[in-house]
Amino acid sequence: MREHYEELAAEYDEHWVYGPDYIPWMADRIAEALQLSPADRIADIGSGTGLFAREVARKLQPRHPILCIDPSEAMLRQLGTPPPPALTPIVASAEDIAEGRAGLPYEQLDAMWLKESVHHVTDQAGTLRGLAERLTPGGRLLVVMLPATIQYPLFQAALDRFEELQPDSADIQAHLSAAGLEASLTHVEHELRIDRDKYFGMVRARYMSLLSTFSDSEIEKGIEEMRAAHPEPVLVFPDRFAFVLGQRRVEGA
């Protein structure tokens, strides 16, 4: 999967962003859920090109740079050379952070989020437990993920494969509880409107990692199926997310 993102890195933002209001909307939801403050030491784990971290930093003006953590060096290079002062790139996986294999400038973190990356983690229970141990007392860990069933205008084989691969948000909540965090599960929804041909181009570029499991001919066949099912020039569909939030207890509180 790392190779998929290495190849996509230079064009990732172009193919992944649905529209101009999507990134600010999601960044606001993340900041609200985590109750971020400028004094927090924050990490975006699986940050990719830093789309959300950059927006959070712009609005929050953090006193400590937000850590953009991703195993793909090519994705992190999209932050800029040098990166913005409010962002610090770190080449590492969620497992590296959880198991202490990657050095961080902060011994503990006040807040961290994983945005649509938990499905890449093999040992989700163990990794989330390790991440929870990096939190300060009162620290927060947010997992943002798609539900097991999505209403995207994808071809049927892709929707079926997504359901096969996507973890259950209730299981993620149970993992956070088992890690000793006070865990909750909520949902947010955003209506997407996107030019049909642009969306087909995003699918062709395999903007979702699950699309990398299909061959070129399968993708083209799938796009033809989508074209027949969606003759309208603008696609309108809901983007619904599970927000699984865990907070480390404060001793004696």
Side-chain angles (χ1 to χ4, degrees), residues 38-209:
D40 284 336
R41 292 156 294 179
I42 303 166
D44 176 359
I45 299 178
S47 67
T49 62
L51 284 170
F52 303 103
R54 184 182 287 110
E55 183 67 15
V56 169
R58 185 181 70 82
K59 293 184 176 180
L60 188 68
Q61 297 294 302
R63 297 174 199 163
H64 313 284
I66 296 176
L67 307 183
C68 293
I69 299 170
D70 199 275
S72 170
E73 187 173 358
M75 293 287 272
L76 290 174
R77 277 200 299 269
Q78 302 306 309
L79 292 175
T81 307
L87 304 176
T88 295
I90 295 177
V91 181
S93 66
E95 293 91 338
D96 291 334
I97 304 303
E99 297 171 21
R101 293 195 297 264
L104 299 181
Y106 315 133
E107 185 174 341
Q108 290 184 302
L109 292 159
D110 300 296
M112 64 180 87
W113 74 79
L114 293 84
K115 164 70 167 63
E116 287 188 86
S117 60
V118 74
H119 58 282
H120 294 309
V121 176
T122 303
D123 178 10
Q124 291 162 2
T127 299
L128 291 172
R129 183 173 59 250
L131 293 177
E133 292 171 355
R134 301 299 301 261
L135 291 173
T136 59
R140 292 86 64 205
L141 167 58
L142 176 66
V143 178
V144 179
M145 59 189 293
L146 292 170
T149 300
I150 55 176
Q151 299 179 51
Y152 289 12
L154 290 168
F155 53 98
Q156 192 59 48
L159 293 171
D160 292 342
R161 190 161 300 172
F162 178 85
E163 291 193 15
E164 294 171 10
L165 300 175
Q166 184 70 358
D168 190 320
S169 55
D171 291 338
I172 301 301
Q173 181 183 9
H175 294 331
L176 293 183
S177 294
L181 304 183
E182 295 179 356
S184 63
L185 171 60
T186 57
H187 293 85
V188 300
E189 187 171 307
H190 181 70
E191 183 180 78
L192 296 175
R193 291 177 173 269
I194 186 167
D195 179 85
R196 185 184 72 150
D197 290 337
K198 178 182 178 182
Y199 189 71
F200 291 170
M202 291 165 61
V203 171
R204 191 172 281 117
R206 295 171 170 83
Y207 83 107
M208 295 178 73
S209 58

Side-chain angles (χ1 to χ4, degrees), residues 27-48:
D28 285 348
R29 300 292 81 74
I30 290 172
E32 288 170 4
L34 286 167
Q35 296 183 314
L36 296 180
S37 77
D40 284 336
R41 292 156 294 179
I42 303 166
D44 176 359
I45 299 178
S47 67

Side-chain angles (χ1 to χ4, degrees), residues 8-19 49 51 78 194 198-199 201-202 205 207:
L8 195 58
E11 300 175 348
Y12 184 80
D13 290 2
E14 172 190 347
H15 289 302
W16 199 88
V17 177
Y18 292 110
T49 62
L51 284 170
Q78 302 306 309
I194 186 167
K198 178 182 178 182
Y199 189 71
M202 291 165 61
Y207 83 107

